[in-house]
Amino acid sequence: MFNYAFLGTLRRCIDKKIAVLTSGGDAPGMNACLRSIVLAANHYSISVLGFEHGYNGLINNEFIELSYAAINQGIHLGGTLLKSARCEKFHLPSYVELAANHLNALDIDALIVIGGDGSFRGLQVLSQIWNKPVIGVPGTIDNDLFGTDYTIGFHTAVETVVGAIDKIRDTADALERIFLVDVMGQHSGFIALQASIACGAEFAMYPESKLSEHQEIEEIIAHIEAARKLHEKNSFIMVLTENHPIGNAQQVADMLTKQIGIECRPCILGHIQRGGTPCAQDRVLATKLGACAVDSLVSGKNKMMVGEVKNEIVLTSLTDTYEKKKQLDIALFAIQHQLFDLVNELNSD
Ligand code: F6P
């Protein structure tokens, strides 16, 4: 369990300088996290430099001084004031070395990276040649990092998806249509599971369902047919995770139309899921984790990610965050499947 030194005795770290950057897909709450990092660092008299455009900022030596005044008004803003990027160059050792040289030239004492699995892989590589402490903060809408129940941005993304599906439901009901809604998640079903339960979707498909493509199509058809027999004139909404082996929303819609002759409408929600004002839960999580990231550095931690598990702050080694597979909430998964099965049972009564 994490010891909140930050809330305890004040330790001055005058003349210390830390750097922070946001990397990969942006996530609502990243700005709240930056604000918290700056506030916590101020508490210890540590100054903060913000590198812009993810790891590109380290490579190109693009940075700004992150003062409290610069960041204080950002808690409610989506995106990231530091900008973000996916940085292909960081896969090449020569660029990682260049980044380390820039950090050394600026006398940076530690680095915090807010991002997802790709960003932490990059941080781990950097830490092999840059000999100063590094800490990761989980910031991705996908919620696919081991070592934290939730990542910054996930709750807002789920709210966005639920709001969008509620709207789709209106038109689906009006026209008695089947809709296939494609949601983000990269290769995991966290968004799909939570959002499909919250909006009462009739079916959901995500990688963790572990059905073969053939079984999955059969199951979808069985559900549509059962639901349609039960309530002939109702809409039917299926949530599908992007990159699903079965195909994208358009392909699955076409497949279903071909096999059961019913018209299906695909809807790819796309990048609206990453934008918008962070919800309160994400702002609170971001504030907690930002402060704890600074605290971890002050108490000598290195190559760890700060996360929250069962309401406790925990530290997990960077490598574990992306090498270990985070499981979906088993209880929620079971409830969803029981509800899906109910439709079939009711129909056979
Ligand atoms: O990792 C966050 C995420 O939004 C994923 O859900 C999605 O697969 C990916 O980023 C999209 O990335 P990009 O905006 O680079 O296309």
Side-chain angles (χ1 to χ4, degrees):
M1 197 209 301
F2 190 79
N3 182 11
Y4 286 87
F6 172 63
L7 302 174
T9 48
L10 177 64
R11 286 164 59 178
R12 295 267 173 214
C13 303
I14 296 167
D15 292 337
K16 293 280 181 197
K17 208 189 296 174
I18 62 170
V20 59
L21 59 88
T22 49
S23 163
D26 55 299
M30 279 182 163
N31 287 321
C33 188
L34 290 173
R35 175 179 175 272
S36 172
I37 288 170
V38 171
L39 279 172
N42 279 0
H43 172 81
Y44 290 116
S45 305
I46 298 170
S47 57
V48 186
L49 292 190
F51 280 86
E52 297 173 303
H53 307 108
Y55 288 109
N56 286 321
L58 290 185
I59 291 171
N60 302 326
N61 215 18
E62 280 177 281
F63 60 87
I64 53 169
E65 201 157 314
L66 270 187
S67 63
Y68 176 64
I71 203 73
N72 185 38
Q73 303 299 325
I75 196 163
H76 62 295
L77 300 175
T80 159
L81 294 172
L82 285 181
K83 313 287 181 192
S84 192
R86 302 197 190 276
C87 181
E88 285 303 316
K89 283 182 180 169
F90 219 64
H91 292 117
L92 303 172
S94 57
Y95 285 104
V96 180
E97 226 166 275
L98 186 59
N101 291 343
H102 286 147
L103 288 167
N104 285 334
L106 287 163
D107 280 329
I108 300 293
D109 295 292
L111 173 66
I112 297 175
V113 169
I114 311 169
D117 59 339
S119 309
F120 293 168
R121 282 174 210 270
L123 189 56
Q124 181 67 22
V125 170
L126 175 67
S127 74
Q128 275 151 15
I129 63 158
W130 187 62
N131 226 357
K132 302 271 180 70
V134 298
I135 291 287
V137 182
T140 163
I141 63 164
D142 299 335
N143 198 29
D144 57 350
L145 287 168
F146 181 87
T148 190
D149 286 343
Y150 298 110
T151 54
I152 298 166
F154 170 70
H155 290 293
T156 307
V158 169
E159 287 299 324
T160 303
V161 171
V162 170
I165 295 181
D166 286 350
K167 291 190 171 80
I168 292 170
R169 177 70 79 181
D170 290 344
T171 176
D173 269 346
L175 289 152
E176 296 159 1
R177 271 184 177 155
I178 300 172
F179 267 85
L180 249 100
V181 185
D182 179 303
V183 302
M184 281 186 170
Q186 208 152 20
H187 299 290
S188 64
F190 292 94
I191 296 178
L193 175 61
Q194 290 253 348
S196 56
I197 287 187
C199 65
E202 279 72 17
F203 202 67
M205 288 178 286
Y206 32 83
E208 292 86 346
S209 326
K210 291 204 178 72
L211 291 171
S212 71
E213 275 174 44
H214 175 68
Q215 282 172 311
E216 216 140 54
I217 274 291
E218 280 194 346
E219 207 177 318
I220 300 164
I221 293 173
H223 268 83
I224 294 176
E225 284 173 346
R228 291 243 143 180
K229 265 189 210 157
L230 204 61
H231 300 291
E232 204 186 328
K233 298 286 179 204
N234 274 7
S235 57
F236 190 99
I237 290 185
M238 273 186 278
V239 175
L240 166 71
T241 307
E242 63 174 352
N243 304 319
H244 196 287
I246 200 172
N248 64 29
Q250 179 70 61
Q251 289 164 330
V252 178
D254 290 347
M255 222 183 305
L256 289 173
T257 305
K258 209 166 132 203
Q259 294 203 24
I260 52 175
I262 296 179
E263 205 183 12
C264 304
R265 288 280 191 270
C267 179
I268 297 171
L269 292 187
H271 288 80
I272 62 160
Q273 292 164 92
R274 284 224 301 256
T277 303
C279 66
Q281 224 170 332
D282 275 328
R283 297 184 203 190
V284 171
L285 180 67
T287 302
K288 238 189 230 180
L289 296 185
C292 289
V294 174
D295 226 15
S296 314
L297 288 175
V298 171
S299 56
K301 302 293 187 297
N302 186 17
K303 298 186 196 179
M304 308 290 252
M305 179 193 82
V306 285
E308 191 179 43
V309 176
K310 296 190 172 64
N311 289 322
E312 302 281 5
I313 297 293
V314 293
L315 291 165
T316 303
S317 79
L318 278 178
T319 46
D320 278 357
T321 65
Y322 52 81
E323 280 174 0
K324 291 191 174 168
K325 174 88 181 137
K326 179 170 168 185
Q327 303 300 326
L328 289 184
D329 180 336
I330 297 169
L332 208 53
F333 181 82
I335 288 169
Q336 174 159 74
H337 282 80
Q338 278 163 14
L339 291 175
F340 290 159
D341 289 346
L342 259 179
V343 174
N344 285 334
E345 277 170 29
L346 281 172
N347 187 47
S348 56
D349 280 349

